[in-house]
């Protein structure tokens, strides 16, 4: 079976303080690129899955550099529209120890935020694809982006494709007059696989929060069904388990529920954290890969996702630049990280 994943979202310029400096200390910023759905595409490309990234970027020098970045990562660019005024930017103050990281967005009036329904030929985009991925970031950017995201999931459903979503709630988005609970339910009714914790799912869809205990495996089916009973199309729901000791010390695991059984990944210590940003996207990329590579092995899928997420913490930038072999090596219990000679 041909395996090709299409992702839809915004690529942004990332400007990071160096050496864990605060914004008030920084005299320069490290310029890289990132964005949730693009990060997922990069992970999958590194796992030798064909990918296509759909977005809109300006027809100026910054847009050209962003397009070059997509190509460098071996992600498809055939449906990247060049129009609009500007590329979205986000600033990252990288935390350490007891001080968390902080993000400031500068994406108002970006090319992606002004994308419009009818601009993208989804039949052409999906012609040879079997999976579509979106995240809660895109409908949080603007009303336009939310409408196009809905257009995309409906087109994917019509073609019988798998549709996945990372809920990705961002409190600094959703500033255009709509709340997530007004937008997300219809999008989720057209999705098959969802990544997110139960309380975030409830928050974004207007359901009562539960504050679940993920360590009590026996209680999880009832907890997940509290949400899933409202979304019969969702076949699989996964959750990244993150226990933050401090900004430099994380514990990472995961849970996958398939409406029958909860599968749990090994909880691993991550010390020190080089870069936490993009680690959730690494989890999502790993989850998609696992479900594509071994469709009926849910334990493998959640183990692969959690291990990929752990490895991302060791890599600077938004992208998870690891191979399948490296992820499976960690899954096997080999955490020595010896020099390969």
């Amino acid at each position: 079976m041909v395996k090709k994943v299409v992702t839809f979202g915004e690529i942004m310029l990332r400007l990071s303080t160096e050496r864990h400096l605060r914004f008030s200390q920084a005299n320069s910023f490290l310029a890289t690129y990132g964005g949730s759905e693009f990060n997922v595409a990069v992970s999958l490309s590194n796992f030798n899955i064909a990918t296509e990234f759909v977005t809109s970027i300006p027809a100026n020098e910054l847009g050209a550099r962003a397009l070059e970045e997509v190509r460098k990562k071996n992600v498809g660019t055939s449906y990247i529209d060049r129009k609009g005024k500007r590329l979205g930017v986000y600033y990252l103050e990288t935390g350490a120890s007891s001080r968390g990281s902080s993000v400031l967005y500068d994406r108002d009036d970006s090319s992606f935020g002004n994308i419009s329904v009818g601009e993208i030929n989804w039949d052409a985009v999906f012609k040879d694809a079997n999976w579509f991925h979106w995240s809660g970031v895109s409908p949080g950017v603007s009303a336009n982006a939310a409408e196009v995201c809905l257009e995309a999931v409906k087109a994917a459903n019509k073609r019988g494709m798998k549709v996945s979503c990372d809920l990705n709630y961002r409190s600094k988005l959703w500033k255009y007059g709509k709340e997530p609970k007004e937008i997300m339910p219809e999008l989720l009714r057209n999705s098959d696989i969802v990544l997110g914790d139960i309380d975030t799912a409830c928050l974004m869809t207007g359901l009562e929060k539960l504050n679940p205990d993920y360590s009590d495996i026996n209680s999880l089916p009832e907890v997940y069904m509290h949400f899933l009973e409202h979304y019969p199309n969702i076949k699989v729901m996964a959750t990244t388990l993150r226990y933050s000791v401090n900004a430099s010390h994380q514990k990472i695991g995961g849970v996958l529920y398939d409406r029958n059984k909860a599968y749990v990944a090994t909880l691993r210590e991550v010390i020190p954290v080089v870069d936490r940003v993009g680690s959730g996207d690494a989890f999502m990329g790993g989850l998609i890969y696992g479900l594509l590579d071994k469709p009926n092995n849910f334990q493998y899928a959640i183990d692969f996702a959690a291990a990929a997420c752990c490895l991302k913490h060791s890599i600077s930038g938004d992208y998870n630049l690891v191979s399948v072999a490296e992820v499976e090596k960690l899954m096997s219990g080999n955490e020595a990280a010896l020099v390969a000679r």
Side-chain angles (χ1 to χ4, degrees):
M1 179 182 69
V2 174
K3 299 172 184 175
K4 183 176 180 180
V5 178
V6 175
T7 69
F8 169 72
E10 183 170 24
I11 184 171
M12 293 185 292
L13 176 64
R14 165 177 153 165
L15 298 175
S16 311
T17 61
E18 300 183 82
R19 304 184 309 281
H20 301 286
L21 294 175
R22 306 218 67 178
F23 286 134
S24 60
Q25 297 174 291
N27 295 310
S28 63
F29 292 86
L30 177 64
T32 53
Y33 292 83
S36 181
E37 299 86 352
F38 177 56
N39 297 343
V40 170
V42 174
S43 276
L44 291 168
S45 177
N46 287 325
F47 300 149
N48 295 314
I49 299 292
T51 56
E52 192 74 43
F53 181 51
V54 181
T55 192
S56 182
I57 56 177
N60 59 24
E61 290 83 352
L62 283 178
R65 176 63 187 90
L67 184 61
E68 178 187 38
E69 184 71 9
V70 181
R71 289 173 174 154
K72 282 171 58 180
K73 301 306 178 190
N74 296 314
V75 172
T77 62
S78 298
Y79 300 97
I80 294 181
D81 196 13
R82 302 294 305 281
K83 62 184 296 184
K85 298 179 179 179
R86 63 189 300 263
L87 191 71
V89 180
Y90 84 91
Y91 296 85
L92 173 66
E93 179 184 277
T94 306
S97 189
S98 299
R99 175 174 59 84
S101 297
S102 179
V103 169
L104 297 176
Y105 291 115
D106 178 16
R107 63 202 307 177
D108 291 348
D109 206 28
S110 70
S111 294
F112 179 78
N114 286 303
I115 200 168
S116 298
V117 168
E119 288 183 359
I120 301 167
N121 184 344
W122 291 108
D123 283 337
V125 173
F126 293 149
K127 183 178 180 181
D128 57 350
N130 55 0
W131 194 295
F132 175 66
H133 175 69
W134 63 282
S135 91
V137 172
S138 291
V141 170
S142 69
N144 280 27
E147 290 170 358
V148 177
C149 196
L150 181 60
E151 179 187 44
V153 297
K154 287 184 174 180
N157 260 269
K158 188 176 179 181
R159 297 184 69 91
M161 297 168 60
K162 291 288 186 184
V163 177
S164 60
C165 167
D166 184 347
L167 292 176
N168 265 346
Y169 177 64
R170 299 288 184 265
S171 62
K172 294 182 179 180
L173 298 181
W174 299 97
K175 304 300 183 185
Y176 60 89
K178 294 287 186 179
E179 296 182 36
K181 65 183 180 181
E182 299 176 80
I183 301 294
M184 293 294 287
E186 189 173 6
L187 286 163
L188 290 171
R189 281 191 286 270
N190 288 277
S191 300
D192 304 283
I193 294 103
V194 172
L195 174 62
D197 69 88
I198 296 299
D199 275 355
T200 296
C202 292
L203 169 69
M204 297 185 82
T205 56
L207 296 175
E208 179 185 359
K209 294 176 69 175
L210 294 179
N211 191 27
D213 178 5
Y214 288 101
S215 66
D216 182 1
I217 304 304
N218 293 328
S219 71
L220 292 182
E222 181 179 354
V223 169
Y224 278 105
M225 288 309 301
H226 169 73
F227 172 73
L228 291 175
E229 66 183 359
H230 299 277
Y231 298 95
N233 199 54
I234 297 174
K235 313 296 191 304
V236 170
M237 187 166 184
T239 302
T240 308
L241 298 185
R242 178 185 296 277
Y243 302 97
S244 185
V245 179
N246 57 50
S248 305
H249 182 182
Q250 306 280 296
K251 297 179 182 179
I252 302 295
V255 176
L256 182 151
Y257 180 63
D258 69 344
R259 291 184 174 267
N260 179 51
K261 178 182 176 181
Y263 299 82
V264 181
T266 300
L267 190 68
R268 292 184 173 88
E269 304 260 358
V270 180
I271 313 171
V273 174
V274 173
D275 195 334
R276 171 176 165 172
V277 176
S279 58
D281 306 324
F283 192 104
M284 187 76 240
L287 182 66
I288 293 173
Y289 174 81
L291 293 172
L292 273 171
D293 191 59
K294 295 178 173 57
N296 299 313
N297 191 335
F298 293 123
Q299 188 63 57
Y300 175 85
I302 195 64
D303 285 343
F304 192 95
C309 179
C310 286
L311 288 170
K312 167 61 190 76
H313 287 76
S314 70
I315 298 169
S316 294
D318 267 44
Y319 321 135
N320 195 21
L321 304 175
V322 298
S323 67
V324 170
E326 288 173 311
V327 178
E328 290 185 335
K329 182 178 179 180
L330 181 58
M331 288 169 62
S332 72
N334 189 336
E335 302 185 36
L338 300 175
V339 177
R341 299 183 186 275

